[in-house]
Structures are given as C-alpha cells and as structure tokens.
Amino acid sequence: MENIKLNNGLLMPSIGFGTWKINEYDQAVELVKNAIKYGYRHIDTASVYGNEEAIGQGIKESHIPRKELFITTKLWNDVKGYSETIIAFEESLKRMQLDYIDLYLIHWPSPIQFRDCYQERNIESYHALETLYKQGKIKAIGVSNFLKHHIEELEKNISIPIMVNQIEFHPYYYDQETIDYCKEHGIVVEAYSPLGRGQVLQDKIIKEIAKKYNKTEAQICIRYAIDNQIVPLPKSVSNEKIKSNLDVFDFCLKEEDRQKIRSLSKVDGKIGSYPDTTNF
C-alpha cells in the first residue's frame, strides 16, 4: 500500500475501502475484516451510513494494531454548530469503540436544513473539528462535497488548514475547478464513487484500456484516480472484487490513456447530488 502525505505531515493510505450502503451489521463486520485481511488500511464510513458500530467491530476483530489503520467518518447534515458537532463526534467515537479518528469530515456544505445560514454553521462546526484536532481526538480534519466557493468561504475563518476534500470523481465526472483549487491549496482530494457506481465499467474505452493493461475495468478506474493524485474509495460487497480493487500498484496508465479516460468526462456525468442544491 502506498501513502499520500497530508498538509500536516500525516500519511494516508492511497486507497480506502468505502462502506456506503453496507448497513447490515454482520455483513459490514465481515467485509471490513476481510478488507483489512486483503491489505486495506484505510476504511471510510459516515454517521449517516448507519454502520459505524459494525465498522468498529470489524476493526476490533481484525486484530491489526490501531496505529496501522486510517479510519474516516463524517458529520451528517442534521448537525451544524460548535457544541452539536462535538457531541456528534463523541457519539461516532463511542459507536466505533475507538480512542481517536484519523480523519473527520463535514459531510455536505449546504444541507437543506441550514441552507440560509450554512456559511456560519460550517465555520462553527469546523472550529469544533479544530478543537478536537488539538486534543488529539482527530488526526486530520476536512470536508466533503465542498466546491471552490464553499472552501473559500470557510478558509477565511479558520486557523487550521483543510486537509482533505472528499468529492465525487470517476471517468464520467471530473470537477476540474474544485480539483485544481484543492491541489493549489494543499488539500488532498478523495474520490467517492470512483467506479461511477458501476456505470462506467461498461464503457467501450474503459474496456479497451483494461484489455491493453490486462486489468479489470474497475482497476483501470481506480488507477486513473491514483494517477491524478486522488485517493479512491472503491466499495464492493464481493470479497473477490474487494481484493481485486487493491491490485493496482504494479502499473501506471500512460498519458495517452489517461487523456482518453479524461475525455469521457461530461457535464451531465455527475451521478450524485449537487452540493448547493441537495434536498437532504
């Protein structure tokens, strides 16, 4: 497993295991245990996923030293504000049976409940993250689904730089403005849905490139993220695919192939919600 360095010097594994919609307890425990057994050291979850307890149990049953793992969870949209964020974080920590979280993110910038005051509330929540960071309860702090203007609004009012921004990224969707801004400001970009929720795996160009490298279509998409200095968070409930998705460190995509994949990006390629118009 390769690592990528955050702007505070912390090393983060360059691939994470995504756990969205893995909310059946026993299944989540087993999948996390297996992912760790196969070599994953980076596990991504969120309070809204409803699986933090299972993730924590899977980590516990893996018997891998805690210091070797990188665990992420996120603050959900029904919580904004300083004290509310502290409480929500402590609840996540308790559910996961952990002493600290490696990375804690504000999940969405402008949820519908706080649409009229999201800027102020994001600042308050991020100040809570800064406090928890200074206390050592969080090793790295950041945001998720934040566009350039959300980050700019926040950066003017914080003392500890944003370390990570987790956004949608896959061959059909390349948010150049956000990605470029993050890279220019030392913010590591993570990719959720790096396989486009499976939609891009049937693409003719992806299939041709996979055949060229003797790799699966999923491996090509994952390597595409890594070659763009973006940390992919592939999710699967198949042990075979979980293992296969990690087998991407023995090759790099040639520039011509990266450009072919980049050409697949389109305006309507986004699968998930738009940060400024979410209905949740």
Side-chain angles (χ1 to χ4, degrees):
M1 176 66 72
E2 298 174 355
N3 294 305
I4 190 165
K5 185 179 288 187
L6 305 185
N7 59 27
N8 69 341
L10 185 68
L11 295 178
M12 178 171 70
S14 59
I15 294 181
F17 177 60
T19 64
W20 181 53
K21 288 193 173 181
I22 305 178
N23 45 28
E24 198 283 314
Y25 184 87
D26 290 339
Q27 181 189 43
V29 171
E30 287 303 309
L31 288 174
V32 168
K33 284 169 56 179
N34 288 338
I36 293 172
K37 180 177 70 175
Y38 300 146
Y40 289 84
R41 292 296 180 265
H42 180 175
I43 310 295
D44 180 271
T45 186
S47 60
V48 73
Y49 298 173
N51 61 14
E52 286 179 318
E53 290 185 2
I55 300 302
Q57 187 62 29
I59 291 168
K60 184 178 181 180
E61 292 183 16
S62 75
H63 302 299
I64 294 295
R66 174 66 182 92
K67 64 182 180 180
E68 295 183 15
L69 300 174
F70 190 99
I71 311 301
T72 300
T73 192
K74 311 177 192 78
L75 180 74
W76 184 234
N77 293 349
D78 58 353
V79 179
K80 292 284 185 183
Y82 184 87
S83 59
E84 295 88 343
T85 297
I86 297 286
I87 292 170
F89 170 81
E90 294 290 355
E91 289 173 349
S92 287
L93 200 64
K94 183 177 180 180
R95 284 192 291 268
M96 300 182 78
Q97 306 177 67
L98 298 176
D99 296 323
Y100 66 92
I101 296 294
D102 295 277
L103 176 63
Y104 196 56
L105 307 176
I106 299 174
H107 207 150
W108 288 86
S110 182
I112 193 167
Q113 183 178 344
F114 299 99
R115 186 76 32 92
D116 295 335
C117 60
Y118 78 87
Q119 294 99 333
E120 295 85 357
R121 290 304 188 95
N122 281 336
I123 293 167
E124 293 169 4
S125 289
Y126 197 88
H127 286 169
L129 268 59
E130 290 177 323
T131 295
L132 293 163
Y133 176 79
K134 291 174 183 176
Q135 293 173 349
K137 292 183 177 181
I138 306 173
K139 302 301 182 183
I141 56 180
V143 296
S144 179
N145 295 294
F146 276 52
L147 304 178
K148 177 185 175 183
H149 72 91
H150 300 129
I151 297 173
E152 289 177 325
E153 292 163 357
L154 186 57
E155 283 182 324
K156 297 174 184 176
N157 299 279
I158 61 178
S159 59
I160 299 175
I162 297 167
M163 299 167 193
V164 171
N165 185 18
Q166 185 179 129
I167 61 175
E168 180 179 336
F169 172 90
H170 48 77
Y172 283 172
Y173 189 69
Y174 191 110
D175 182 354
Q176 183 165 358
E177 181 180 63
T178 300
I179 292 170
D180 287 351
Y181 184 86
C182 287
K183 289 183 177 181
E184 289 168 6
H185 290 78
I187 301 171
V188 169
V189 176
E190 288 186 320
Y192 68 78
S193 300
L195 310 182
R197 298 186 192 172
Q199 294 183 19
V200 302
L201 302 184
Q202 300 304 315
D203 189 274
K204 180 181 178 181
I205 290 177
I206 297 295
K207 284 184 170 294
E208 289 175 353
I209 294 174
K211 184 176 181 180
K212 174 180 177 180
Y213 288 88
N214 194 28
K215 289 290 183 178
T216 68
E217 291 80 7
Q219 289 168 340
I220 294 300
C221 294
I222 292 167
R223 188 70 227 186
Y224 174 63
I226 293 172
D227 286 348
N228 278 284
Q229 294 80 52
I230 293 173
V231 176
L233 304 168
K235 168 246 179 173
S236 178
V237 295
S238 160
N239 285 319
E240 180 180 350
K241 291 179 180 178
I242 292 171
K243 186 185 297 185
S244 173
N245 287 344
L246 201 60
D247 184 20
V248 295
F249 293 109
D250 58 349
F251 78 108
C252 291
L253 293 169
K254 294 181 179 179
E255 178 63 22
E256 63 189 65
D257 295 318
R258 288 201 297 271
Q259 291 303 319
K260 284 181 182 178
I261 298 174
R262 176 70 181 275
S263 72
L264 298 175
S265 179
K266 44 197 175 182
V267 175
D268 61 349
K270 186 169 175 57
I271 298 169
S273 298
Y274 286 88
D276 281 316
T277 57
T278 57
N279 61 359
F280 48 82

